Amino acid sequence: MRRLLSGRHAEALMKRILTHAEREIADQRGKRMVEFVSGRFAAKEAVSKAFGCGIGSMMSFTDIEVLPDTKGRPVATLSDEAWERLQLPYGKQYNIHLSITHQTELAAAFAIVEQMGKTLPGSD
């Protein structure tokens, strides 16, 4: 990622992976920008796979936005278009749990998509 972000296509890569709000945060990271972008890349891959599709025709990198809440916890949201392509009702019925870890040479993320209001058979 460091090599990609230092090359001549760095800006195009940032626009392909990050939303506008995420790019604003990345620009403020200074020396840790590569870690931030790597973490967001891993998070978006994890979220898309948790929905069972991966990055592709159903969901692009910019369909997923990962921003910190007031305590710094990463919160993932999907675009309305992604919900439509997934043929799922707009996100209020789903909770996306996300964890991101990154350091200078490694980034990883774990995502779980929880459908709200569903009960298991026999759990009355």
Side-chain angles (χ1 to χ4, degrees), residues 2 6 20 27 34-35 37 41 44 48-49 51 53-54 60 62-63 66 74-75 89 114-115 121:
R2 185 174 314 284
S6 63
H20 178 74
D27 289 341
V34 174
E35 286 180 47
V37 175
F41 183 93
K44 292 175 182 211
S48 67
K49 288 178 178 160
F51 275 100
C53 62
S60 72
T62 55
D63 279 323
V66 180
V75 176
E114 175 186 20
Q115 188 173 2

Side-chain angles (χ1 to χ4, degrees), residues 57-96:
S57 61
M58 297 290 279
M59 194 179 298
S60 72
F61 285 109
T62 55
D63 279 323
I64 308 164
E65 185 169 67
V66 180
L67 298 174
D69 69 6
T70 56
K71 295 181 180 180
R73 179 180 67 95
V75 176
T77 56
L78 300 186
S79 69
D80 293 346
E81 296 80 11
W83 288 111
E84 274 185 39
R85 287 190 299 273
L86 290 166
Q87 297 180 353
L88 296 172
Y90 179 71
K92 293 180 180 153
Q93 296 178 10
Y94 295 87
N95 195 359
I96 303 169

